[in-house]
Amino acid sequence: MEESDAMSSPPVARAEIVVDLAAVRHNVRTLRELVGDARMMTVVKADGYGHGMVEVARAARAAGADWLGVATIDEALALRAAGDTGPVLCWLGVPGEDYAAAITADVDVTAYSLAELAEVAAGAETAGRPARLQLKIDTGLSRGGALPADWPELVAAARAGEEAGRWRVTGIWSHLAASDEPAHPANDAQEQVFREALAEAEAAGLRPEVRHLANSAAAILRPSSRFDLVRCGLASYGLDPAPGHTPDLGLVPAMTARARLTMVKPVPAGAGVSYGHTWVADHDTTLGLVPVGYGDGVPRAAGNEAEAWVGGRRRPLRGRVCMDQLVVELDPPGDAAAGDEVVLFGDGCDGAPTAQDWAEACATISYEIVTRIGGRMVRRHIDGGAPA
Ligand SMILES: *Cc1c(COP(=O)(O)O)cnc(C)c1O
């Protein structure tokens, strides 16, 4: 992406999250081209992985996303309330869920069990129209979905409900356990179980519009898993779903998390920094105070591990991350001064850390870094540099 006016000026707020929707569109287009004939679902659950669900959803649709995917019915209804009218799938209901609202809003719901089928049937009755229903088979993740042993019964009941006009079965799907490890034997095993489940559904008379298994990593790394539709979350945001395995696709991280230095001050050798003095200066040096902490979703694990970008260099975090602030060492300080920009992570093109760098520093995955950052930070959207 081009260096933009909106990003080259200092942050507007104390601390902000800037999301470039042009990057999202670029990533969605890139992934669509990669997967060829398969349709594209952009997964926007958890507030668009912290990027803003509604804004990301609009950008994804503009870039050709055929479907949007969310976890909860509430998320799906929020997309409808924001004006989205295209196919939306949700997949995580709890007993007593308001299926009628989802059905009325023309949202595809997912059933894992006969109990959920009964709830969807009641919802369709209340809504006064047939549901769009997808079925999930647990092919080996051992999370949601019907076990293979329970699948024939679920499929038969789903077919009976279809014939009774309660719903139309629009999709059959599953989810992989180890798609970020392409050589993991679970990938072949799960795909095999999925193919068998599809055959059983077909034999029972179901004719779904979409059969789908792949998330971002599988969509990129495992063409055989693409079926009719791929469900891309992380890669749509420009992050690498399988570090060490993903070819360079030119995806662009859409999120930049940044703040302004509160103060810059010299400290003498021997100064202990932040709670518990887990870092002690071994020479006279300079510290910069950054006004974000775990109350803003900055992982506490980043203390003494991650780096931030100040004055054209990567600067180490020193000492523990506090609730509202953290400390970086500015050595040499250059002309760093209070008010200057601090990039925690961004697209990495100028050398600043990325969410992946932070994930490695914090022994987690970039999903968690971008999804949890926020708190009191102000989020704004830009479009290739201009305000969105
Ligand atoms: C979150 C999620 C996805 C997206 O996964 P990514 O690895 O972010 O692409 C796809 N499918 C399901 C069922 C999910 O829960």
Side-chain angles (χ1 to χ4, degrees):
M1 293 295 111
E2 274 174 55
E3 185 60 22
S4 61
D5 292 347
M7 290 294 293
S8 52
S9 52
V12 177
R14 175 185 64 90
E16 65 178 14
I17 292 168
V18 183
V19 176
D20 186 356
L21 297 172
V24 173
R25 291 197 304 272
H26 165 82
N27 298 331
V28 171
R29 276 193 214 105
T30 301
L31 292 165
R32 278 187 65 215
E33 275 170 35
L34 180 76
V35 302
D37 291 340
R39 274 166 274 176
M40 173 61 60
M41 175 187 290
T42 301
V43 179
V44 298
K45 64 192 180 187
D47 205 11
Y49 292 40
H51 294 68
M53 178 176 73
V54 167
E55 292 86 350
V56 166
R58 285 192 190 121
R61 291 287 197 203
D66 308 285
W67 286 78
L68 297 175
V70 290
T72 69
I73 289 179
D74 285 350
E75 290 173 319
L77 296 178
L79 288 171
R80 291 292 186 243
D84 189 274
T85 56
V88 173
L89 172 66
C90 63
W91 51 70
L92 194 61
V94 293
E97 198 74 74
D98 189 359
Y99 284 104
I103 294 163
T104 301
D106 212 25
V107 167
D108 284 47
V109 297
T110 300
Y112 302 168
S113 64
L114 293 177
E116 284 184 338
L117 279 189
E119 291 215 41
V120 175
E125 180 88 29
T126 305
R129 60 184 286 186
R132 290 178 55 89
L133 172 69
Q134 302 210 13
L135 303 177
K136 184 176 183 196
I137 166 101
D138 177 1
T139 53
L141 179 59
S142 302
R143 213 172 64 178
L147 287 168
D150 299 328
W151 183 244
E153 202 182 17
L154 186 68
V155 158
R159 178 66 189 135
E162 196 168 61
E163 283 178 319
R166 293 189 194 108
W167 48 66
R168 150 136 189 79
V169 175
T170 52
I172 293 178
W173 64 279
S174 189
H175 194 42
L176 295 169
S179 60
D180 57 337
E181 298 172 57
H184 196 294
N187 292 308
D188 282 345
Q190 287 195 263
E191 194 178 308
Q192 179 59 28
V193 174
F194 188 57
R195 289 182 190 280
E196 286 160 16
L198 290 176
E200 286 179 75
E202 164 122 28
L206 296 178
R207 297 289 180 272
E209 296 163 20
V210 284
R211 299 160 298 172
H212 48 112
L213 178 63
N215 63 350
S216 294
I220 295 168
L221 296 169
R222 194 176 170 86
S224 64
S225 72
R226 290 175 188 156
F227 293 91
D228 304 315
L229 173 70
V230 296
R231 306 185 303 266
C232 290
L234 193 77
S236 318
Y237 304 97
L239 297 171
D240 184 347
H245 299 290
T246 313
D248 184 6
L249 301 172
L251 301 176
V252 179
M255 179 189 288
T256 300
R258 59 185 200 156
R260 307 182 69 189
L261 279 178
T262 306
M263 76 182 300
V264 172
K265 66 179 175 192
V267 292
V273 173
S274 193
Y275 293 126
H277 285 178
T278 59
W279 187 82
V280 177
D282 64 1
H283 61 285
D284 294 354
T285 189
T286 305
L287 302 178
L289 184 63
V290 184
V292 288
Y294 60 80
D296 306 288
V298 176
R300 190 165 176 275
N304 290 320
E305 300 291 344
E307 295 174 323
W309 182 257
V310 182
R313 284 172 185 258
R314 287 189 179 210
R315 311 289 194 166
L317 272 61
R318 297 301 195 198
R320 289 192 180 139
V321 171
C322 310
M323 187 180 293
D324 315 309
Q325 40 201 316
L326 59 85
V327 177
V328 292
E329 185 181 14
L330 304 171
D331 181 23
D335 55 6
D340 284 1
E341 176 189 50
V342 181
V343 175
L344 301 181
F345 54 84
D347 66 16
C349 24
D350 55 3
T354 60
Q356 178 59 30
D357 293 326
W358 273 66
E360 286 165 23
C362 300
T364 182
I365 51 177
S366 62
Y367 294 79
E368 187 177 12
I369 297 295
V370 292
T371 304
R372 292 182 74 163
I373 195 88
R376 294 158 294 186
M377 296 172 83
V378 174
R379 187 173 57 213
R380 64 193 176 94
H381 292 90
I382 60 172
D383 197 335

